Amino acid sequence: MNTRATEPSQSSQLSQLKKLTTVVADTGDFERMQEFQPQDATTNPSLILKAVQQPNYQALVQKVKAAHPGLKPVDLADYILVAFGLEILKIIPGRVSTEVDAHLSFDTSATIHKAKHLIALYESNGIDRKRVLIKLAGTWEGIQAAKALEAEGIHCNMTLLFSLVQAAACGAVNAKLISPFVGRITDWYKAKLGSGWNDVDHGGANDPGVTSVKRIFYYYKHFGIQTEIMGASFRSTNQILELAGCDLLTISPELLAELQANTNPVSQKLDIAHSTAALAVEHIEQLQLDESHFRLQLNQDAMATEKLAEGIRNFCIDTDKLEALLSTSA
């Protein structure tokens, strides 16, 4: 595989990575993201919960509350999400991702309704819907919601994605973008292997989170799927650099800072030209993607099943915490 360096080593790894991959900031802390000049930005309930508790964002929270007196916390949360998205869009040239309430992950019609509401809030503030990605969980119901929304020009970012079958199903409905979770996959295998895990055999190019995204990348490219792939949920810059060449990578400010401070050369690791050969090595064929086959294949993948369920639970918890905070804050 081609592993050419893109720039002399005196350039930061972040600037080198930007030559190969669209870099996205994964944070609700829009003040901090400015220094890294990302193209896009992603948020989720956990990131927004963290941001609204910071003193420097209290004025924004209070402004939203004052503009919507008497609104229930569950509804006020939508305005908070969009308020942060609007501030982010003042900083970045590209798109912001805003997440639908995870409590709706198994309700297609409610997900569609919520997504349209969020888009309407952005559009009422003069934002073109093309600059917003609605984040939906990679459940069967979420994927069907994405199919309907994409048909109306509302673009979706499919999140909590841990398996090839989820990715393939998202591609089949023409979802705009998927966010396969690297770090959470690695976490699962580390916990499963326990003392049997070692970084020599299971890290670097062999990291299970990294190999999962590579498999999706080559599947998409080989079968001509246009959905964008954005690696997410990184635990280290090493995981990020192993996916240089992916369509997009969404990265926390902490890891963006590490990349900016490092000048070691960055090499392209993912290359479309290798998709056919890569799939042949792993004996991957085009998947059957009707509902029964989707559910069975997901069920057969213990890691993906467990991490999807855990991810939905945790986002529900943080959404509840955000709503509780909005109901009690002055």
Side-chain angles (χ1 to χ4, degrees):
M1 180 175 290
N2 177 19
T3 57
R4 60 182 176 83
T6 61
E7 291 187 12
S9 60
Q10 61 264 28
S11 296
S12 74
Q13 288 189 321
L14 181 57
S15 67
Q16 294 178 67
L17 184 63
K18 287 179 178 179
K19 300 291 185 180
L20 297 169
T21 293
T22 297
V23 171
V24 180
D26 193 23
T27 181
D29 186 353
F30 54 82
E31 291 181 359
R32 191 173 180 198
M33 75 172 61
Q34 296 186 62
E35 64 182 287
F36 305 112
Q37 299 183 320
Q39 173 68 24
D40 295 348
T42 55
T43 64
N44 63 43
S46 303
L47 295 174
I48 296 298
L49 175 65
K50 182 179 179 181
V52 299
Q53 295 178 84
Q54 296 180 29
N56 49 321
Y57 294 127
Q58 291 310 300
L60 178 60
V61 172
Q62 295 310 318
K63 180 181 178 182
V64 173
K65 293 188 71 175
H68 305 283
L71 204 61
K72 294 179 181 179
V74 65
D75 297 317
L76 188 60
D78 293 339
Y79 288 87
I80 292 291
L81 294 176
V82 172
F84 273 84
L86 291 170
E87 293 300 321
I88 288 168
L89 287 170
K90 294 175 184 177
I91 297 168
I92 62 171
R95 307 166 296 188
V96 67
S97 290
T98 297
E99 191 145 353
V100 163
D101 186 345
H103 291 88
L104 307 179
S105 297
F106 302 102
D107 188 332
T108 298
S109 61
T111 294
I112 293 170
H113 179 77
K114 179 69 78 172
K116 288 182 177 180
H117 176 58
L118 292 171
I119 286 294
L121 292 181
Y122 275 109
E123 291 184 330
S124 70
N125 283 277
I127 302 298
D128 190 315
R129 62 177 58 186
K130 292 179 181 179
R131 295 197 67 201
V132 181
L133 294 174
I134 298 297
K135 290 181 76 174
L136 309 176
T139 58
W140 177 259
E141 293 79 5
I143 294 168
Q144 299 317 299
K147 181 178 181 179
L149 291 166
E150 290 286 354
E152 296 189 33
I154 298 174
H155 293 317
C156 301
N157 171 353
M158 307 307 295
T159 188
L160 294 174
L161 199 141
F162 303 96
S163 66
L164 180 60
V165 68
Q166 286 175 287
C170 292
V173 301
N174 299 312
K176 184 67 174 178
L177 182 146
I178 61 168
S179 296
F181 279 24
V182 176
R184 297 193 196 188
I185 292 174
T186 304
D187 293 345
W188 189 90
Y189 282 101
K190 274 190 172 183
K192 192 76 171 177
L193 289 173
S195 61
W197 174 279
N198 69 80
D199 289 334
V200 174
D201 293 333
H202 305 114
N206 297 320
D207 183 303
V210 169
T211 58
S212 177
V213 177
K214 286 181 177 178
R215 190 175 299 115
I216 292 167
F217 179 88
Y218 290 127
Y219 184 94
Y220 270 27
K221 303 313 177 187
H222 179 70
F223 290 112
I225 296 170
Q226 298 302 307
T227 299
E228 300 168 33
I229 304 166
M230 180 170 69
S233 173
F234 293 106
R235 299 292 180 257
S236 68
T237 57
N238 188 51
Q239 289 180 328
I240 294 166
L241 297 175
E242 286 293 339
L243 292 174
C246 193
D247 299 334
L248 307 94
L249 298 172
T250 185
I251 306 169
S252 70
E254 293 76 19
L255 294 178
L256 286 169
E258 287 186 33
L259 291 167
Q260 191 163 266
N262 196 315
T263 57
N264 289 335
V266 173
S267 301
Q268 183 174 349
K269 297 299 180 70
L270 295 185
D271 188 339
I272 295 174
H274 294 86
S275 60
T276 300
L279 287 177
V281 168
E282 298 195 38
H283 307 292
I284 296 175
E285 298 178 352
Q286 196 156 16
L287 301 179
Q288 288 185 268
L289 297 171
D290 57 89
E291 183 176 357
S292 62
H293 280 95
F294 174 88
R295 293 192 185 280
L296 179 60
Q297 289 173 80
L298 184 59
N299 184 74
Q300 296 298 85
D301 187 333
M303 177 277 296
T305 298
E306 292 174 23
K307 297 307 288 186
L308 174 60
E310 177 188 71
I312 292 171
R313 285 196 302 270
N314 288 338
F315 280 163
C316 286
I317 289 170
D318 285 342
T319 297
D320 291 342
K321 288 180 179 178
L322 175 61
E323 292 171 8
L325 188 66
L326 292 174
S327 69
T328 58
S329 59

